[in-house]
Amino acid sequence: MQSDPGRTNRKEAIYQLLLLLCLLVMASFAFPRITWLGNLGYALIALLLTQLVMLRKHVLRLHDRMYQALGILALLTQLWWLLTPVHWRLSAIPLVVSWSLLVGWSVVRLVKRLASEQRVNTQVLMGAAAGYLLLGLTSGLVMSGVETIQPGSFEPVALPGADVVGNTSVLHFTPAFAQINYFAFICLTTLGFGDITPVHPLARMLAVSTGVVGQLYLAVVMGILIGRFSSELRKN
């Protein structure tokens, strides 16, 4: 029983740190001079979700080790994608697959953890907000990968052709991906301003999927939080 307060504090710290990292990535896309922080933020998010959370576990089961391995794989595929030349289009495929699996799995784990909380407090709300922002950021990363696989997937955002960039790495075009991340959040929140348009079929399905997943997340998490809050009121 003595370890319960410590375990609770660790959970709350994880919620806060995850939200802080998500806000860091979003801020990096808002200010072109610090866009490199966005890539660092993604890496730290992968490490937080899959490595730091497991430090306090005395016994790691098979699915925990698989989850950790997926986090390392996602981190390596991101680094590989950023350092490869833009015209290496297929280098983004491992990124798209690994990050989609990682964040999908992470959001399921986060929702289960939120559902196990006994009360609704500020830290729990931070965890719920962090999960929502994480969906938008990951959609932006996946869409950026798709843009390198199929240049011109999102108009008017378009990477220059290989004849222009030569062997320039993807990392050089990080500011351009800020526009795609903006579009990802437009899809997630279903605002639909129309200033950026998905052109290719894969880009369109990503836009639709982001909007659907965002609404499902809100419905599930709001149901959990409202249920916990109502339970607290009845007890009081």
Side-chain angles (χ1 to χ4, degrees), residues 91-105:
S91 66
I93 294 179
L95 171 86
V96 171
V97 174
S98 61
W99 273 91
S100 298
L101 292 176
L102 173 63
V103 174
W105 196 344

Side-chain angles (χ1 to χ4, degrees), residues 10-11 27-28 31 35 57 71 92 95 107 118 145-146 153 158 190 212 216:
R10 287 193 295 272
K11 287 182 179 180
S28 71
F31 302 98
T35 49
K57 279 198 171 186
L95 171 86
V107 169
Q118 299 301 316
V146 169
S153 293
T190 65
V212 171
L216 287 177

Side-chain angles (χ1 to χ4, degrees), residues 1-12 56:
M1 297 296 293
Q2 295 178 352
S3 62
D4 288 342
R7 186 178 297 113
T8 300
N9 291 334
R10 287 193 295 272
K11 287 182 179 180
E12 293 176 352
R56 296 292 181 174

Side-chain angles (χ1 to χ4, degrees), residues 27-235:
S28 71
F29 290 126
F31 302 98
R33 292 186 178 181
I34 59 171
T35 49
W36 59 272
L37 279 177
N39 299 315
L40 177 61
Y42 277 117
L44 293 177
I45 287 173
L47 291 176
L48 172 65
L49 291 175
T50 62
Q51 310 302 317
L52 299 182
V53 173
M54 302 296 181
L55 290 180
R56 296 292 181 174
K57 279 198 171 186
H58 300 291
V59 179
L60 293 180
R61 299 180 180 179
L62 178 60
H63 67 274
D64 292 328
R65 297 190 181 278
M66 292 176 60
Y67 185 58
Q68 284 187 314
L70 181 59
I72 296 298
L73 178 62
L75 184 59
L76 293 177
T77 57
Q78 181 195 4
L79 182 62
W80 165 258
W81 173 65
L82 288 173
L83 297 181
T84 54
V86 175
H87 63 267
W88 288 20
R89 298 182 180 179
L90 298 182
S91 66
I93 294 179
L95 171 86
V96 171
V97 174
S98 61
W99 273 91
S100 298
L101 292 176
L102 173 63
V103 174
W105 196 344
S106 299
V107 169
V108 171
R109 293 171 66 98
L110 177 62
V111 170
K112 288 182 178 179
R113 178 170 293 184
L114 292 175
S116 67
E117 298 288 349
Q118 299 301 316
R119 54 185 301 180
V120 178
N121 52 27
T122 304
Q123 286 71 26
V124 171
L125 294 177
M126 286 183 178
Y132 189 66
L133 296 181
L134 182 60
L135 286 174
L137 292 174
T138 305
S139 296
L141 183 63
V142 171
M143 289 179 182
S144 299
V146 169
E147 175 63 28
T148 60
I149 296 172
Q150 293 182 323
S153 293
F154 302 93
E155 291 185 352
V157 181
L159 297 180
D163 55 332
V164 177
V165 299
N167 290 323
T168 305
S169 67
V170 174
L171 185 62
H172 181 76
F173 295 95
T174 301
F177 296 136
Q179 301 179 56
I180 298 180
N181 276 267
Y182 154 78
F183 174 71
F185 276 94
I186 293 300
C187 295
L188 184 71
T189 55
T190 65
L191 290 176
F193 289 146
D195 51 345
I196 297 178
T197 305
V199 178
H200 294 302
L202 181 57
R204 291 175 177 174
M205 287 308 302
L206 279 175
V208 171
S209 299
T210 300
V212 171
V213 169
Q215 300 311 303
L216 287 177
Y217 178 86
L218 288 178
V220 172
V221 172
M222 289 302 295
I224 292 173
L225 296 181
I226 292 174
R228 288 288 181 271
F229 187 72
S230 299
S231 178
E232 288 183 34
L233 290 179
R234 286 195 296 269
K235 289 179 181 180

